[in-house]
Each structure stands twice: as structure tokens, then as C-alpha cells.
Amino acid sequence: MENLANSDLGRVIAGYKFYDLINTFNAAVFSLNEGSKCSDCANKRFYFFKNSILEFNSCYDYFWQIVYFAFDFFEDIKSEEDYQKLLKKECVQSIIEKNPNGDRIYVQSKFAKTIEYLKQNNPEAQNFFSVFNKYISKVSDDKIGIKQWANNMKHQGGFIAEEILLRDNTTFIDCFSDDKLSFSTKWLYPMRHSFDEIERRLGIHKDNIEEFEDWLFRYIYGDTQVIDFKNEEKKFSAKQCRNVKYSHIIPYSVMDADL
């Protein structure tokens, strides 16, 4: 790259995001492979699988960041503070706002609204996000997803393999108020799945992310191993939406919010 001033900043940032994505993906694959070998030690096996879950889940965050920068969803960046603010507050699918009753609700972010606008007004963007959503939706799928597992590890009470934490009804303590169950230590138990199920899902995401990354890279940079960051006409760009005023707000439930 000769001069950043003569280059497409969004494509430059997206290129670095691909680098981070590949490193995270490789770490996830390493953890998956090591966990698959540890048949003689359940805790060690789960340690590697846990890392793999978190790392594969992080890969999907990078895909959103790549799209955000490669297709110009960001405003001007003039400082490191601007860049960090974009990552933390703008490159998200939902934000928290207060409704007229003062309740905190999840609503579409500007990023998400702009995507919807492009899908409705640009056939190329519509086709792109149709394929993109096919890949990205797998992380939240009820039958094969790992997003809820990762969220449970980070925020909601944990996640563990069934083979490590066996549920024994004799160990639960139930509390009653007026003959009604008011609390049970059963509720404190983390989400659990078998090693076989964990390994099955991780294998699915290994293949999905690998295919996803290859498709997205080719879409943005073409079939090349040398990235050209020069300004070029893009198949679509969010720059055309800079002056669009979005009047509609679509509420999200807590479970649907993609944080």
C-alpha cells in the first residue's frame, strides 16, 4: 500500500479484521482438535472445548466488523477515539433505548437499519445479505448454534459438559413460601450438553466459518492472495445512505438481541 490517503480506508480496516478472524479461527480449531484427543480426562477435554466455543463465537463478530468497514457503514474516522467508539457503539446490531414508559428495550441500531434499507433498495446488497445471513444465522440456530453457550459462559450462569456435572436430585435444596416453590438450587446449575453434542456442533461451525470466510474474502477482494486497497467501485456501499432518515424502530426482545 503506497499511501493510505489514496486507499479505501474501509477495505484497509476490513483486511486487518480478516487477519484477526483467521488467527481466532486457527486458535478455535487448535482447541477443538486438542479437546477431541483428551478422551481420558473430562476436565481437560472440556477446557479445550470451552475455549473453542468462545473462539468460534468470536469469529462471527469479526464477520460483522468486516462488513461494517468494507461496505462503508462507518462515519469519518479522525482519531483512535473515533475508531474505538465505532467498534463499541456503532458496529452493533441492536442498542438499548427507553420507550415512552421508561422501560429499557432493544431496538435496531443504525447499522441494522441501514442494512435493511440497502436490502430494500439495492438488488446487489439484497443478494449479498441473503448469502451472508445463511452463514451468520447458524451461530444462533437452536439445533446447531453456539452463541447461547458462549453467552451462558460469559453472562448467564455458565456452561459445562454433562459428563462432568451430573444432576442428582438428592443434592437440590428447594425453598417454599405458602406451599409454593420460591427458589431451588436446581436453578443454579449451568447449561449442560454432552461431549458428543459439543464436539458435533463445533465441527459444524469449523466448516461453516471456513466456507464463510472464503466466500466473503472473495466477494470483497476478488480471487487473489494479494489485497489491493486502492479506491475501486464497490458492488454496493452504505455511503449512499448517509443522508437517509430512518423513522421506523423495530423493538427486539432480550433473547433476539444480537449483542
Side-chain angles (χ1 to χ4, degrees):
M1 181 169 49
E2 296 179 359
N3 191 326
L4 184 58
N6 298 322
S7 302
D8 183 331
L9 179 59
R11 281 159 51 90
V12 171
I13 297 174
Y16 277 88
K17 295 298 179 182
F18 268 110
Y19 179 77
D20 291 338
L21 166 63
I22 292 169
N23 283 338
T24 303
F25 175 76
N26 288 339
V29 173
F30 173 81
S31 296
L32 171 59
N33 291 340
E34 290 301 305
S36 299
K37 299 175 186 175
C38 297
S39 57
D40 59 333
C41 180
N43 284 302
K44 187 176 180 181
R45 188 181 189 191
F46 181 70
Y47 170 82
F48 284 115
F49 281 168
K50 179 180 179 179
N51 287 341
S52 187
I53 291 167
L54 294 172
E55 288 154 351
F56 277 142
N57 187 67
S58 292
C59 289
Y60 290 96
D61 294 332
Y62 280 115
F63 286 120
W64 283 116
Q65 292 178 30
I66 289 167
V67 168
Y68 182 77
F69 289 107
F71 299 107
D72 309 313
F73 287 89
F74 63 100
E75 301 291 339
D76 292 340
I77 300 175
K78 298 181 180 180
S79 67
E80 182 180 359
E81 183 180 359
D82 287 345
Y83 170 71
Q84 294 297 336
K85 180 180 178 181
L86 288 174
L87 274 184
K88 295 176 182 178
K89 296 185 177 182
E90 302 296 332
C91 186
V92 293
Q93 288 296 292
S94 61
I95 58 176
I96 297 176
E97 291 186 355
K98 287 187 178 181
N99 64 14
N101 296 325
D103 300 321
R104 289 159 60 89
I105 60 172
Y106 288 102
V107 299
Q108 281 184 316
S109 66
K110 182 179 179 181
F111 182 25
K113 291 177 182 179
T114 304
I115 290 174
E116 291 304 315
Y117 179 87
L118 283 169
K119 287 164 62 177
Q120 294 172 19
N121 294 277
N122 186 308
E124 183 61 39
Q126 183 181 44
N127 292 335
F128 170 83
F129 282 107
S130 176
V131 179
F132 183 88
N133 289 339
K134 180 191 73 172
Y135 288 114
I136 204 79
S137 64
K138 289 185 179 181
V139 71
S140 301
D141 186 275
D142 289 339
K143 295 182 179 179
I144 63 171
I146 57 171
K147 187 178 185 66
Q148 189 58 53
W149 293 0
N151 284 343
N152 268 54
M153 290 179 193
K154 294 185 290 185
H155 310 298
Q156 300 168 8
F159 176 85
I160 201 165
E162 289 179 349
E163 290 85 347
I164 294 176
L165 182 62
L166 301 175
R167 296 185 67 157
D168 183 352
N169 287 329
T170 62
T171 65
F172 296 139
I173 299 174
D174 295 332
C175 302
F176 293 86
S177 177
D178 297 328
D179 296 327
K180 292 183 179 179
L181 181 66
S182 59
F183 186 83
S184 174
T185 54
K186 184 187 299 186
W187 305 344
L188 302 177
Y189 270 58
M191 176 185 287
R192 302 175 310 130
H193 281 281
S194 69
F195 276 127
D196 286 345
E197 177 63 10
I198 294 171
E199 189 170 3
R200 181 186 76 87
R201 293 199 191 190
L202 289 174
I204 290 172
H205 288 282
K206 173 183 175 295
D207 294 341
N208 185 59
I209 292 169
E210 192 168 29
E211 184 178 321
F212 193 1
E213 183 273 332
D214 182 68
W215 168 79
L216 186 58
F217 183 91
R218 291 173 186 273
Y219 189 95
I220 297 172
Y221 299 108
D223 187 9
T224 180
Q225 293 183 343
V226 180
I227 301 176
D228 181 357
F229 291 121
K230 293 181 180 179
N231 280 298
E232 299 176 357
E233 185 177 354
K234 299 180 181 181
K235 296 179 180 179
F236 70 91
S237 170
K239 285 183 178 179
Q240 70 185 77
C241 310
R242 292 283 170 84
N243 297 320
V244 174
K245 303 296 182 182
Y246 303 106
S247 58
H248 64 286
I249 296 178
I250 303 176
Y252 281 79
S253 71
V254 173
M255 292 303 295
D256 291 336
D258 189 3
L259 300 177

